[in-house]
Amino acid sequence: MARAHLSFPSNAVANQLVAGVPAAVRAGIALKERAALAEGDSVLIAASDGWSPSEWSKSEFARLLPTNGVEAFEPPARASQKTVETIDAIELLCGRHSASPQKALRALGADILKATGKPSDGLVSRYLNRPISRSITRVLLKIPGVTPIHATGLAAFTGLLMAAALLFDGAQGLIAGALLFHAASVIDGVDGEIARATMRSSQFGAKLDTITDGITNLAFLCFASLNLYWQGDTGGASYGAIGLGILAIGLTALGLRSVAMGGPFTFDAVKNNFRARPSKITSFLAAITSRDVYAAIFALTFVLGFAREMLLIFACATAIWLVTVLAVLVRTSARQS
């Protein structure tokens, strides 16, 4: 069984979190990516003051390098240094030796976090939401044990605050609820950033995130309509109710089609159809109907006092969307038959 020897300048540096993952673990992963560590090989780690893995380091080694043993070792005496090839872990991770390992690892963490954006990010997400969500992610990733589920919980809690504001605080609550709806959209990016930075992406996490988003979206529209109704604006409340009804019909049709096709209950038929036939129009429609865009628009219009008008636009947009959904379902059904 082969052994790879990694050397850190101190125990604190070896256990330092780099975008949520201890530096020692990232160094082990780097060895594996460079084919310098095979399945079953051991990672031996040395530090000038002796390496003592933190509980989080142990947990992350078990998760990310489950087939590789890991243990501390004492660097050999200078006279026998040639007998063991020791790899400078900071140079391995950062591409160069640094006089300030902590600073070099922080810069590496910043680069990892910067790479967590999505190619599909629109203008609102790229220039408004991502800078804020990354700041939140940067803080959370300094906490040992933080995972995407914690960020999903934070987004859900923001959604609860949104609902409370809309239900119990009248006209001021309408504005606060809209701002919290946008805040939930911003925080929604945090769980994905944590997942990608810490290599924790999963189908379960993606489904949970989607469910949380859907509930938050529906709660906002429903409670915003109720808020207007309680304020005496029956017209604005009616627009919201009509839009919600149309949305429910379309989503039900999509879900039933997916089940009829033998798949899970999903709402992606129209999205998949557009992806299969990309064009400038479909790309534009996808951009303006993404959550980051419509959450920002709702927040802006509600703050400016145009909640009624925005719900009217929403009702009209859902009507157009329903026509599109039905057209896609009829066309795909005819094609399959």
Side-chain angles (χ1 to χ4, degrees), residues 1-328:
M1 182 178 64
R3 294 182 171 187
H5 297 75
L6 290 170
S7 176
F8 284 89
S10 70
N11 180 57
V13 171
N15 287 315
Q16 180 176 329
L17 294 183
V18 180
V21 178
V25 182
R26 287 204 181 272
I29 294 171
L31 285 175
K32 204 160 192 175
E33 290 174 345
R34 290 164 174 75
L37 186 69
E39 299 293 332
D41 289 352
S42 290
V43 183
L44 276 66
I45 298 176
S48 60
D49 51 352
W51 182 58
S52 177
S54 65
E55 290 302 315
W56 188 236
S57 291
K58 293 177 183 178
S59 174
E60 290 295 84
F61 265 117
R63 179 177 71 91
L64 295 169
L65 294 168
T67 64
N68 299 103
V70 58
E71 57 186 279
F73 86 102
E74 291 292 333
R78 187 178 298 275
S80 59
Q81 189 72 35
K82 294 181 180 179
T83 62
V84 176
E85 182 181 356
T86 303
I87 300 171
D88 186 314
I90 303 303
E91 187 172 350
L92 173 69
L93 288 171
C94 303
R96 65 186 186 283
H97 182 77
S98 175
S100 176
Q102 292 93 338
K103 185 176 180 179
L105 291 177
R106 284 195 295 271
L108 174 62
D111 290 340
I112 292 171
L113 183 56
K114 187 177 180 180
T116 57
K118 293 181 179 179
S120 58
D121 283 349
L123 292 176
V124 172
S125 183
R126 186 177 298 116
Y127 296 109
L128 177 61
N129 291 10
R130 283 294 177 199
I132 300 172
S133 65
R134 282 196 184 117
S135 297
I136 298 171
T137 300
R138 186 178 298 110
V139 173
L140 291 178
L141 287 177
K142 294 178 181 179
I143 305 172
V146 74
T147 64
I149 192 68
H150 296 110
T152 302
L154 180 60
F157 178 70
T158 306
L160 289 175
L161 292 178
M162 172 204 76
L166 290 169
L167 288 172
F168 301 115
D169 203 16
Q172 292 182 337
L174 191 66
I175 295 174
L179 292 174
L180 286 166
F181 180 52
H182 177 63
S185 172
V186 173
I187 296 172
D188 179 51
V190 174
D191 55 1
E193 290 165 0
I194 291 177
R196 290 185 287 276
T198 61
M199 295 159 279
R200 288 181 179 272
S201 298
S202 68
Q203 289 187 348
F204 171 77
K207 287 181 180 179
L208 182 62
D209 182 47
T210 299
I211 291 171
T212 303
D213 292 349
I215 292 174
T216 303
N217 293 345
L218 292 175
F220 171 73
L221 294 165
C222 179
F223 296 150
S225 300
L226 280 174
N227 183 292
L228 287 175
Y229 178 77
W230 289 332
Q231 290 187 60
D233 187 351
T234 55
S238 298
Y239 299 146
I242 292 170
L244 278 169
I246 295 172
L247 188 64
I249 293 171
L251 291 177
T252 301
L254 288 171
L256 291 176
R257 167 57 65 85
S258 67
V259 172
M261 294 298 296
F265 191 90
T266 65
F267 311 117
D268 295 333
V270 175
K271 186 187 298 184
N272 293 336
N273 183 268
F274 283 167
R275 285 175 177 171
R277 304 171 64 183
S279 69
K280 290 184 178 180
I281 294 177
T282 58
S283 297
F284 173 74
L285 290 175
I288 64 172
T289 56
S290 62
R291 191 188 187 203
D292 60 313
V293 173
Y294 65 71
I297 292 174
F298 270 112
L300 179 62
T301 53
F302 276 41
V303 167
L304 294 177
F306 299 112
R308 176 192 178 97
E309 291 78 5
M310 188 62 223
L311 288 175
L312 173 59
I313 293 171
F314 163 68
C316 294
T318 53
I320 296 171
W321 172 79
L322 179 60
V323 172
T324 304
V325 166
L326 296 177
V328 168

